[in-house]
Amino acid sequence: MNPISNQIGTVFLPVRDIERARDWYCGLLGLPADGEILHGHLYVLPMQGTSLVLDSKIYTKETTFRAPAFHFNARDIAEAYAYMKERNVELITGIEHNHWFNFKDPDGNVLMVCRC
């Protein structure tokens, strides 16, 4: 029996300002921004499945994601793309292969939305 499971528990995302990042991600994902900021630098987004933790203690320009380390799921990729455009999110690709697109968060992290 292997002592390490084949499951990802959480992804830590470096952010400059924890309150600003909390509000931006909660707004983007339609989540309430009423959870507690832990230890002055951590915010656990209430996700389904793998957790996403915003962390302002680990932020530097060098630690931001330059390539997507994960993707957000979307049922309708065109609708998701239009939603991001309406929110003035920095889109860095168009919809590729009718399946995915990349964007940047306000801190410069490159992230992905994928049709799943």
Side-chain angles (χ1 to χ4, degrees), residues 45-68:
L45 286 163
M47 304 289 290
Q48 296 178 22
T50 301
S51 297
L52 183 57
V53 177
L54 308 177
D55 188 349
S56 61
K57 191 171 187 176
I58 64 171
Y59 176 83
T60 66
K61 276 195 165 193
E62 293 75 32
T63 60
T64 58
F65 293 0
R66 292 186 175 99

mmCIF file of all heavy atoms in Angstrom, residues 45-68:
data_model
loop_
_atom_site.group_PDB
_atom_site.id
_atom_site.type_symbol
_atom_site.label_atom_id
_atom_site.label_comp_id
_atom_site.label_asym_id
_atom_site.label_seq_id
_atom_site.Cartn_x
_atom_site.Cartn_y
_atom_site.Cartn_z
ATOM 1 N N LEU A 45 -10.611 29.084 -1.076
ATOM 2 C CA LEU A 45 -11.830 29.239 -1.870
ATOM 3 C C LEU A 45 -12.689 27.987 -1.721
ATOM 4 O O LEU A 45 -12.168 26.864 -1.811
ATOM 5 C CB LEU A 45 -11.481 29.442 -3.342
ATOM 6 C CG LEU A 45 -10.920 30.816 -3.683
ATOM 7 C CD1 LEU A 45 -10.224 30.792 -5.032
ATOM 8 C CD2 LEU A 45 -12.028 31.844 -3.685
ATOM 9 N N PRO A 46 -13.982 28.141 -1.495
ATOM 10 C CA PRO A 46 -14.860 26.972 -1.358
ATOM 11 C C PRO A 46 -15.143 26.348 -2.724
ATOM 12 O O PRO A 46 -16.057 26.739 -3.429
ATOM 13 C CB PRO A 46 -16.131 27.548 -0.717
ATOM 14 C CG PRO A 46 -16.123 28.994 -1.074
ATOM 15 C CD PRO A 46 -14.696 29.398 -1.267
ATOM 16 N N MET A 47 -14.293 25.410 -3.108
ATOM 17 C CA MET A 47 -14.370 24.776 -4.415
ATOM 18 C C MET A 47 -14.991 23.388 -4.307
ATOM 19 O O MET A 47 -15.009 22.796 -3.240
ATOM 20 C CB MET A 47 -12.954 24.638 -5.002
ATOM 21 C CG MET A 47 -12.162 25.919 -5.103
ATOM 22 S SD MET A 47 -12.749 27.035 -6.374
ATOM 23 C CE MET A 47 -12.287 26.154 -7.852
ATOM 24 N N GLN A 48 -15.419 22.856 -5.441
ATOM 25 C CA GLN A 48 -15.808 21.455 -5.531
ATOM 26 C C GLN A 48 -14.561 20.688 -5.962
ATOM 27 O O GLN A 48 -13.880 21.087 -6.891
ATOM 28 C CB GLN A 48 -16.914 21.270 -6.559
ATOM 29 C CG GLN A 48 -18.192 21.968 -6.202
ATOM 30 C CD GLN A 48 -19.249 21.805 -7.284
ATOM 31 O OE1 GLN A 48 -19.207 20.883 -8.086
ATOM 32 N NE2 GLN A 48 -20.189 22.716 -7.309
ATOM 33 N N GLY A 49 -14.236 19.625 -5.272
ATOM 34 C CA GLY A 49 -13.038 18.860 -5.630
ATOM 35 C C GLY A 49 -11.797 19.460 -4.999
ATOM 36 O O GLY A 49 -11.804 19.898 -3.865
ATOM 37 N N THR A 50 -10.720 19.512 -5.777
ATOM 38 C CA THR A 50 -9.445 20.035 -5.298
ATOM 39 C C THR A 50 -9.597 21.468 -4.813
ATOM 40 O O THR A 50 -10.227 22.296 -5.463
ATOM 41 C CB THR A 50 -8.398 19.978 -6.426
ATOM 42 O OG1 THR A 50 -8.260 18.628 -6.850
ATOM 43 C CG2 THR A 50 -7.050 20.496 -5.972
ATOM 44 N N SER A 51 -9.004 21.773 -3.678
ATOM 45 C CA SER A 51 -9.092 23.116 -3.109
ATOM 46 C C SER A 51 -8.146 24.075 -3.811
ATOM 47 O O SER A 51 -7.121 23.673 -4.365
ATOM 48 C CB SER A 51 -8.716 23.087 -1.620
ATOM 49 O OG SER A 51 -9.621 22.300 -0.896
ATOM 50 N N LEU A 52 -8.483 25.349 -3.755
ATOM 51 C CA LEU A 52 -7.625 26.415 -4.255
ATOM 52 C C LEU A 52 -7.402 27.386 -3.107
ATOM 53 O O LEU A 52 -8.357 27.917 -2.534
ATOM 54 C CB LEU A 52 -8.276 27.122 -5.445
ATOM 55 C CG LEU A 52 -7.477 28.223 -6.123
ATOM 56 C CD1 LEU A 52 -6.118 27.704 -6.609
ATOM 57 C CD2 LEU A 52 -8.266 28.808 -7.281
ATOM 58 N N VAL A 53 -6.128 27.595 -2.759
ATOM 59 C CA VAL A 53 -5.774 28.465 -1.651
ATOM 60 C C VAL A 53 -5.012 29.667 -2.196
ATOM 61 O O VAL A 53 -3.973 29.509 -2.839
ATOM 62 C CB VAL A 53 -4.912 27.724 -0.599
ATOM 63 C CG1 VAL A 53 -4.495 28.667 0.518
ATOM 64 C CG2 VAL A 53 -5.675 26.536 -0.029
ATOM 65 N N LEU A 54 -5.552 30.850 -1.966
ATOM 66 C CA LEU A 54 -4.868 32.090 -2.313
ATOM 67 C C LEU A 54 -3.894 32.383 -1.184
ATOM 68 O O LEU A 54 -4.259 32.308 -0.009
ATOM 69 C CB LEU A 54 -5.872 33.227 -2.457
ATOM 70 C CG LEU A 54 -7.064 32.965 -3.382
ATOM 71 C CD1 LEU A 54 -8.014 34.146 -3.366
ATOM 72 C CD2 LEU A 54 -6.602 32.639 -4.786
ATOM 73 N N ASP A 55 -2.654 32.705 -1.529
ATOM 74 C CA ASP A 55 -1.623 32.900 -0.507
ATOM 75 C C ASP A 55 -0.779 34.127 -0.842
ATOM 76 O O ASP A 55 -0.035 34.125 -1.819
ATOM 77 C CB ASP A 55 -0.741 31.653 -0.418
ATOM 78 C CG ASP A 55 0.229 31.673 0.748
ATOM 79 O OD1 ASP A 55 0.396 32.742 1.390
ATOM 80 O OD2 ASP A 55 0.837 30.625 1.008
ATOM 81 N N SER A 56 -0.896 35.158 -0.011
ATOM 82 C CA SER A 56 -0.122 36.376 -0.261
ATOM 83 C C SER A 56 1.284 36.299 0.329
ATOM 84 O O SER A 56 2.144 37.102 -0.017
ATOM 85 C CB SER A 56 -0.853 37.608 0.284
ATOM 86 O OG SER A 56 -1.032 37.524 1.674
ATOM 87 N N LYS A 57 1.548 35.321 1.173
ATOM 88 C CA LYS A 57 2.891 35.193 1.758
ATOM 89 C C LYS A 57 3.902 34.647 0.745
ATOM 90 O O LYS A 57 5.092 34.941 0.818
ATOM 91 C CB LYS A 57 2.842 34.287 2.986
ATOM 92 C CG LYS A 57 4.106 34.314 3.807
ATOM 93 C CD LYS A 57 3.926 33.570 5.113
ATOM 94 C CE LYS A 57 5.146 33.747 5.991
ATOM 95 N NZ LYS A 57 4.957 33.120 7.289
ATOM 96 N N ILE A 58 3.445 33.865 -0.221
ATOM 97 C CA ILE A 58 4.359 33.261 -1.193
ATOM 98 C C ILE A 58 4.505 34.095 -2.465
ATOM 99 O O ILE A 58 5.238 33.724 -3.372
ATOM 100 C CB ILE A 58 3.940 31.819 -1.559
ATOM 101 C CG1 ILE A 58 2.581 31.801 -2.261
ATOM 102 C CG2 ILE A 58 3.964 30.926 -0.322
ATOM 103 C CD1 ILE A 58 2.182 30.459 -2.841
ATOM 104 N N TYR A 59 3.813 35.238 -2.540
ATOM 105 C CA TYR A 59 3.813 36.019 -3.778
ATOM 106 C C TYR A 59 5.142 36.726 -4.031
ATOM 107 O O TYR A 59 5.679 37.418 -3.169
ATOM 108 C CB TYR A 59 2.702 37.072 -3.768
ATOM 109 C CG TYR A 59 2.772 37.942 -5.001
ATOM 110 C CD1 TYR A 59 2.197 37.517 -6.182
ATOM 111 C CD2 TYR A 59 3.461 39.142 -4.992
ATOM 112 C CE1 TYR A 59 2.294 38.278 -7.335
ATOM 113 C CE2 TYR A 59 3.569 39.914 -6.145
ATOM 114 C CZ TYR A 59 2.982 39.472 -7.311
ATOM 115 O OH TYR A 59 3.096 40.223 -8.445
ATOM 116 N N THR A 60 5.652 36.550 -5.224
ATOM 117 C CA THR A 60 6.660 37.401 -5.854
ATOM 118 C C THR A 60 6.362 37.314 -7.342
ATOM 119 O O THR A 60 5.644 36.402 -7.787
ATOM 120 C CB THR A 60 8.123 36.932 -5.606
ATOM 121 O OG1 THR A 60 8.320 35.672 -6.265
ATOM 122 C CG2 THR A 60 8.454 36.806 -4.128
ATOM 123 N N LYS A 61 6.901 38.216 -8.131
ATOM 124 C CA LYS A 61 6.686 38.127 -9.581
ATOM 125 C C LYS A 61 7.195 36.793 -10.122
ATOM 126 O O LYS A 61 6.640 36.236 -11.051
ATOM 127 C CB LYS A 61 7.360 39.286 -10.297
ATOM 128 C CG LYS A 61 6.540 40.521 -10.328
ATOM 129 C CD LYS A 61 7.077 41.509 -11.332
ATOM 130 C CE LYS A 61 5.997 42.541 -11.546
ATOM 131 N NZ LYS A 61 6.256 43.375 -12.684
ATOM 132 N N GLU A 62 8.255 36.285 -9.508
ATOM 133 C CA GLU A 62 8.854 35.026 -9.970
ATOM 134 C C GLU A 62 7.996 33.806 -9.631
ATOM 135 O O GLU A 62 8.125 32.765 -10.272
ATOM 136 C CB GLU A 62 10.248 34.845 -9.372
ATOM 137 C CG GLU A 62 11.280 35.841 -9.867
ATOM 138 C CD GLU A 62 11.125 37.247 -9.268
ATOM 139 O OE1 GLU A 62 10.689 37.349 -8.100
ATOM 140 O OE2 GLU A 62 11.408 38.221 -9.974
ATOM 141 N N THR A 63 7.142 33.895 -8.609
ATOM 142 C CA THR A 63 6.334 32.725 -8.225
ATOM 143 C C THR A 63 4.980 32.665 -8.916
ATOM 144 O O THR A 63 4.267 31.673 -8.770
ATOM 145 C CB THR A 63 6.110 32.664 -6.694
ATOM 146 O OG1 THR A 63 5.433 33.852 -6.268
ATOM 147 C CG2 THR A 63 7.411 32.486 -5.952
ATOM 148 N N THR A 64 4.621 33.713 -9.670
ATOM 149 C CA THR A 64 3.337 33.647 -10.370
ATOM 150 C C THR A 64 3.390 32.551 -11.432
ATOM 151 O O THR A 64 4.455 32.232 -11.961
ATOM 152 C CB THR A 64 2.970 34.999 -11.033
ATOM 153 O OG1 THR A 64 3.997 35.371 -11.927
ATOM 154 C CG2 THR A 64 2.729 36.080 -9.995
ATOM 155 N N PHE A 65 2.246 31.975 -11.719
ATOM 156 C CA PHE A 65 2.156 30.906 -12.708
ATOM 157 C C PHE A 65 2.352 31.499 -14.103
ATOM 158 O O PHE A 65 1.569 32.325 -14.537
ATOM 159 C CB PHE A 65 0.802 30.215 -12.650
ATOM 160 C CG PHE A 65 0.516 29.440 -11.396
ATOM 161 C CD1 PHE A 65 1.418 29.355 -10.355
ATOM 162 C CD2 PHE A 65 -0.689 28.786 -11.253
ATOM 163 C CE1 PHE A 65 1.143 28.637 -9.210
ATOM 164 C CE2 PHE A 65 -0.976 28.055 -10.115
ATOM 165 C CZ PHE A 65 -0.065 27.985 -9.087
ATOM 166 N N ARG A 66 3.372 31.052 -14.801
ATOM 167 C CA ARG A 66 3.625 31.510 -16.173
ATOM 168 C C ARG A 66 2.940 30.608 -17.193
ATOM 169 O O ARG A 66 2.834 30.944 -18.361
ATOM 170 C CB ARG A 66 5.124 31.586 -16.418
ATOM 171 C CG ARG A 66 5.762 32.683 -15.592
ATOM 172 C CD ARG A 66 7.228 32.860 -15.950
ATOM 173 N NE ARG A 66 7.777 33.978 -15.235
ATOM 174 C CZ ARG A 66 8.489 33.862 -14.121
ATOM 175 N NH1 ARG A 66 8.718 32.688 -13.604
ATOM 176 N NH2 ARG A 66 8.974 34.934 -13.526
ATOM 177 N N ALA A 67 2.533 29.448 -16.719
ATOM 178 C CA ALA A 67 1.752 28.497 -17.517
ATOM 179 C C ALA A 67 0.702 27.920 -16.571
ATOM 180 O O ALA A 67 0.951 27.799 -15.378
ATOM 181 C CB ALA A 67 2.644 27.388 -18.064
ATOM 182 N N PRO A 68 -0.468 27.577 -17.096
ATOM 183 C CA PRO A 68 -1.513 27.058 -16.217
ATOM 184 C C PRO A 68 -1.088 25.775 -15.502
ATOM 185 O O PRO A 68 -0.639 24.829 -16.137
ATOM 186 C CB PRO A 68 -2.685 26.774 -17.158
ATOM 187 C CG PRO A 68 -2.408 27.601 -18.377
ATOM 188 C CD PRO A 68 -0.915 27.680 -18.483
#
